[in-house]
Amino acid sequence: MTLETPLRMMGAPGSPYSRKMRAILRYRRIPYLFILQNSEEAAALPAAKVGLLPTFYLPDDSGNVVAVTDSTPLIRRFERAFEGRSVVPADPAVTFLDELIEDFADEWLTKCMFHYRWYHEADATKARRVLPHWARVDVSDEKIAPIQKMIGERQIERLRVVGSNDTTAPVIEESYVRFVRAFDAALADSRFLFGRRPASADFALYGQLTCLALFDPTPAALTLETSARILAWTEAMEDLSGMEVVEADWRAAGELPSGLRGVLELVGAYHAPFLLANAEAIEQGREQVEAEIDGRSWVQKPFPYQKKCLGWLRESHASLDSSARATVDGLLEGTGCEALF
Ligand SMILES: N[C@@H](CCC(=O)N[C@@H](CS)C(=O)NCC(=O)O)C(=O)O
């Protein structure tokens, strides 16, 4: 179904999913209006069922404009509505890998993002001071102070939602350092994950990296120390509107960049065991996810949405034709990701 443009999207500069979607709209040359969260313009918009960022305002089946969230299905809806400059790779085996790495970025790397933003004092102090000013700058320091305090307290309290605590902190931090090394090696060989044009997984990684590599001081210093390449890549991803691409810029499954393997190994080492343990805890009605991830213990409250993510990945894997599935299974073998399917 076609969609009227400009699309309207409410978001915030510090929201990784807002940055993911804005960069896709720019790359795809889809006209949009970006509306800041908590701005006057945002106040007039309909509320979403679950108030997540970004929120889009799109017609439902009967043509009424409603608030819609969740970047992953929105990206696919926009694929159907707008032709050209697709962010979904053409080869079905590669499409599947794209979905898997997008899920890793959205659901695991976001643990790193949220952890680093609110766990260490230097990062929490910066975030607390800056965040409320995104919606308003023309306000006195006295007036903004209580909002800064409230946001800091609220977000630190939410660390438990992503599973950041004293037990998991070393696992989360190690996973980020290992990701930076693996992604650095991948980028040294290929500008994007699947060739010379960006896919939805590139934009998902980009979204989290706007925080990790650019904004939050602890992971930003770490990223720069390990990979100048990732920092530069993240800055360049923001606006790829002028980049020309052709179909042949996608690599086929048989000739994917060699560095991709290292990224898949991280998905297998961290995200896969988490997704499995989370789903199991929910199925057994347990209060806690208790798992071993990369040889260390992991404890957090179960996250129902991420059980759905596992279900969607399994559906996509099951719906591959036998030749694409054999290709995917061959590529995933020994990465740890194969445990998911
Ligand atoms: N799966 C969703 C996740 C969106 C999400 O978690 N957004 C965060 C901010 S980036 C959010 O809105 N959290 C609630 C809040 O900040 O009030 C997506 O892909 O869009």
Side-chain angles (χ1 to χ4, degrees):
M1 202 168 73
T2 54
L3 288 171
E4 218 177 280
T5 59
L7 299 178
R8 282 176 305 164
M9 163 189 181
M10 181 181 73
S15 146
Y17 305 96
S18 302
R19 302 291 290 269
K20 172 191 181 188
M21 292 310 286
R22 194 167 66 178
I24 288 182
L25 297 179
R26 283 178 168 177
Y27 166 69
R28 295 204 63 207
R29 300 176 180 159
I30 299 170
Y32 67 91
L33 300 176
F34 188 76
I35 300 157
L36 277 172
Q37 178 194 32
N38 297 327
S39 64
E40 262 172 55
E41 293 79 7
L45 293 165
K49 266 188 241 137
V50 186
L52 293 176
L53 299 180
T55 302
F56 283 77
Y57 302 88
L58 302 170
D60 64 11
D61 290 340
S62 12
N64 302 315
V65 172
V66 292
V68 188
T69 58
D70 205 351
S71 60
T72 303
L74 279 164
I75 290 168
R76 276 73 191 172
R77 181 166 175 185
F78 298 159
E79 288 285 319
R80 296 190 292 275
F82 304 99
E83 253 182 76
R85 298 175 72 80
S86 167
V87 295
V88 174
D91 181 319
V94 186
T95 308
F96 177 78
L97 297 178
D98 178 48
E99 228 182 287
L100 180 61
I101 298 177
E102 180 174 356
D103 199 68
F104 165 76
D106 286 353
E107 312 300 335
W108 181 274
L109 215 51
T110 204
K111 293 183 187 302
C112 304
M113 179 265 139
F114 204 79
H115 163 81
Y116 275 120
R117 177 158 296 171
W118 297 108
Y119 189 76
H120 299 293
E121 195 45 49
D123 304 273
T125 301
K126 176 177 178 184
R128 182 192 293 123
R129 292 182 60 214
V130 176
L131 261 61
H133 277 305
W134 279 325
R136 273 206 76 179
V137 285
D138 51 341
V139 58
S140 71
D141 290 354
E142 291 70 41
K143 255 204 158 135
I144 205 89
I147 305 174
Q148 290 166 321
K149 185 167 175 284
M150 182 273 287
I151 287 188
E153 282 165 5
R154 188 187 68 185
Q155 298 299 80
I156 288 166
E157 204 274 323
R158 279 191 195 166
L159 276 168
R160 64 185 169 81
V161 178
V162 301
S164 157
N165 52 58
D166 294 341
T167 305
T168 60
V171 183
I172 295 175
E173 297 194 359
E174 169 132 351
S175 80
Y176 183 61
V177 174
R178 282 179 62 185
F179 165 74
V180 170
R181 287 200 206 110
F183 193 44
D184 180 74
L187 289 180
D189 180 47
S190 173
R191 183 170 175 197
F192 303 107
L193 288 165
F194 308 111
R196 291 198 320 202
R197 55 186 288 177
S200 62
D202 289 286
F203 287 104
L205 293 174
Y206 159 75
Q208 304 298 325
L209 286 168
T210 59
C211 309
L212 288 157
L214 303 181
F215 182 83
D216 300 293
T218 302
L222 238 156
T223 310
L224 176 61
E225 199 182 291
T226 315
S227 173
R229 192 174 276 118
I230 290 183
L231 189 95
W233 182 86
T234 306
E235 288 171 323
M237 283 292 287
E238 178 172 9
D239 194 342
L240 297 177
S241 57
M243 178 189 171
E244 299 301 339
V245 295
V246 293
E247 207 50 34
D249 290 331
W250 293 124
R251 296 232 203 135
E255 48 197 51
L256 288 171
S258 59
L260 198 64
R261 174 93 192 166
V263 177
L264 290 170
E265 282 168 355
L266 278 214
V267 182
Y270 295 97
H271 192 40
F274 168 73
L275 281 180
L276 291 170
N278 180 61
E280 196 189 280
I282 294 171
E283 276 152 24
Q284 299 179 353
R286 282 194 270 116
E287 296 275 303
Q288 286 281 342
V289 180
E290 281 171 33
E292 193 184 289
I293 297 186
D294 203 37
R296 277 185 287 208
S297 81
W298 182 275
V299 280
Q300 81 166 91
K301 232 171 83 83
F303 200 124
Y305 178 82
Q306 289 171 337
K307 179 172 185 283
K308 287 193 197 164
C309 293
L310 175 60
W312 291 322
L313 288 173
R314 284 177 167 166
E315 271 171 34
S316 298
H317 183 263
S319 65
L320 290 168
D321 67 36
S322 55
S323 126
R325 193 176 323 141
T327 307
V328 164
D329 291 347
L331 289 164
L332 297 186
E333 201 184 313
T335 60
C337 298
E338 66 274 25
L340 294 170
F341 310 106

